[in-house]
Amino acid sequence: PPVSFVLSLSASSSTALDYAIDPRFPLFQQALRRPKKSHEALASLLGVPELIRSSDPRPEDFTSELLRTIGGRWAEFNGGYPNVASGKFAKYARRLGEPLLPRVEDARLPVRILPPYFVSHAPDDAWWAISQELFRETADAVANRTQCVRVIATSNVGTLERHALSVPDDHLVLWVSGLDELTVPASQLAAYGHALRSIADDGKDSFALYGGFFSVVLQNVGLGGSSHGIGYGENRQWIELPESGPPPARYYVPQLHRYLQPDEATRLLIADRRLAECDCPECNGDPPNTLEYHELMKHSVYCRAREISEWSDIGLGPAAQRLRAEADQWHGLLTASGLPYVVASAARARAAHLNTWIDALSRIN
């Protein structure tokens, strides 16, 4: 399946990555009274500046002619992406220390095209019908129709499963809006797992636009992979935030399979190294609050790579047992650490999701 990527890597001479570009089209499924430059740039790229409006759009606002324009322009953009983005390649390449190809026009094109899509809320939602038409218009504008991969975006798990099973596609990209693995109840995570298993049993490969550690474990029921959120978050609401900025500096704690603030993780490390230690090349035994921003991000990449290697193919039962053993050990270390009551209580709250995940895995299994 396609993978997330850093802009300049498509023009790198040392890294060969296959990638696809998420159009993030639900940006225009809402009123944009204070549009960002990115909103305006995308609307202009699609040739429809009127996508930016001060009132919520309705499905009927997207006529067949409008959808044909959007699909065609998106297909055109994907076919000439290096020429459009070439001005930014050098900036990102410097940040990554990546050498560029001698000619930017030789940069790799996306291996898959994700047609624009809307978020639907029910199996008979009019937004779903519009998404299907937008998929057809985009696919018709692409020379190799099989290059297009349908995105199914919904606000709930039940609708996701119904839509996925209703289409003939062998490959799907999935997104349940607001599915925060750390906060949603076990019943919702279990329903997501059951949906993914049904989709896999129907012979479809699936890839999640957003996901964290729990999504890694769900590869045991057929999920092919997920964007692991390095630098932009492991879940997303379809309603666009009025403001955004760079991702905060945060430290991925391998023992909890989640991010904490570097200072909080450092307190745990000082109390007992086993509560937050990591032996990856970026950490080198140093406290989390001494790592620089990009070191923190690279550390999280190492952690996620290890999780994929160790958890994605062990079965749900063994995964639940291992997670229970890890949680019990961590809580025992925390109790014996001597941390002040307030600090220890806050740390326990940060680990509450582990029991939720164990419960969810037992329900799926």
Side-chain angles (χ1 to χ4, degrees), residues 72-323:
R73 291 294 292 268
W74 183 247
E76 180 183 346
F77 169 72
N78 278 262
Y81 170 68
N83 295 326
V84 175
S86 61
K88 297 182 179 178
F89 282 150
K91 178 180 71 173
Y92 287 98
R94 285 195 301 271
R95 292 181 180 178
L96 292 171
E98 286 282 343
L100 291 180
L101 293 168
R103 300 192 314 160
V104 173
E105 56 267 31
D106 292 331
R108 287 177 297 280
L109 293 173
V111 295
R112 297 286 186 270
I113 294 177
L114 307 186
Y117 55 90
F118 294 100
V119 174
S120 60
H121 310 287
D124 57 352
D125 192 342
W127 287 113
W128 171 239
I130 298 298
S131 284
Q132 290 179 294
E133 185 174 355
L134 191 48
F135 175 85
R136 290 191 295 269
E137 293 292 353
T138 308
D140 287 345
V142 176
N144 181 4
R145 187 185 180 94
T146 61
Q147 191 178 5
C148 288
V149 180
R150 190 188 305 268
V151 178
I152 298 181
T154 68
S155 59
N156 61 82
V157 171
T159 299
L160 178 84
E161 182 176 2
R162 291 281 295 274
H163 287 346
L165 297 179
S166 71
V167 297
D169 312 56
D170 294 328
H171 305 281
L172 297 171
V173 173
L174 310 176
W175 171 30
V176 179
S177 173
L179 187 70
D180 185 347
E181 298 175 3
L182 296 175
T183 61
V184 300
S187 58
Q188 189 170 344
L189 292 175
Y192 185 47
H194 283 299
L196 294 175
R197 174 178 280 161
S198 295
I199 293 168
D201 288 346
D202 197 46
K204 303 178 189 297
D205 296 324
S206 62
F207 180 88
L209 279 180
Y210 304 97
F213 172 76
F214 194 78
S215 291
V216 171
V217 179
L218 289 182
Q219 292 184 43
N220 290 281
V221 298
L223 181 64
S226 62
S227 297
H228 52 69
I230 302 304
Y232 67 86
E234 298 180 335
N235 69 90
R236 190 181 293 276
Q237 295 275 1
W238 76 270
I239 294 293
E240 175 71 3
L241 296 173
E243 296 181 1
S244 63
R250 51 188 187 159
Y251 179 80
Y252 193 83
V253 180
Q255 294 81 352
L256 298 180
H257 306 288
R258 66 163 299 171
Y259 290 98
L260 293 182
Q261 292 298 316
D263 286 345
E264 186 174 6
T266 299
R267 284 196 295 270
L268 294 175
L269 189 76
I270 292 173
D272 189 321
R273 295 195 62 85
R274 293 169 292 178
L275 291 170
E277 67 181 343
C278 175
D279 60 359
C280 80
E282 295 301 322
C283 291
N284 197 30
D286 295 332
N289 62 359
T290 65
L291 299 179
E292 296 182 355
Y293 183 80
H294 285 95
E295 290 174 332
L296 289 168
M297 296 184 73
K298 291 178 181 178
H299 151 78
S300 62
V301 171
Y302 280 112
C303 291
R304 182 52 43 82
R306 178 178 296 173
E307 289 172 345
I308 293 171
S309 173
E310 295 180 359
W311 292 81
S312 63
D313 193 31
I314 65 173
L316 291 186
Q321 293 173 7
R322 178 175 173 179
L323 201 57

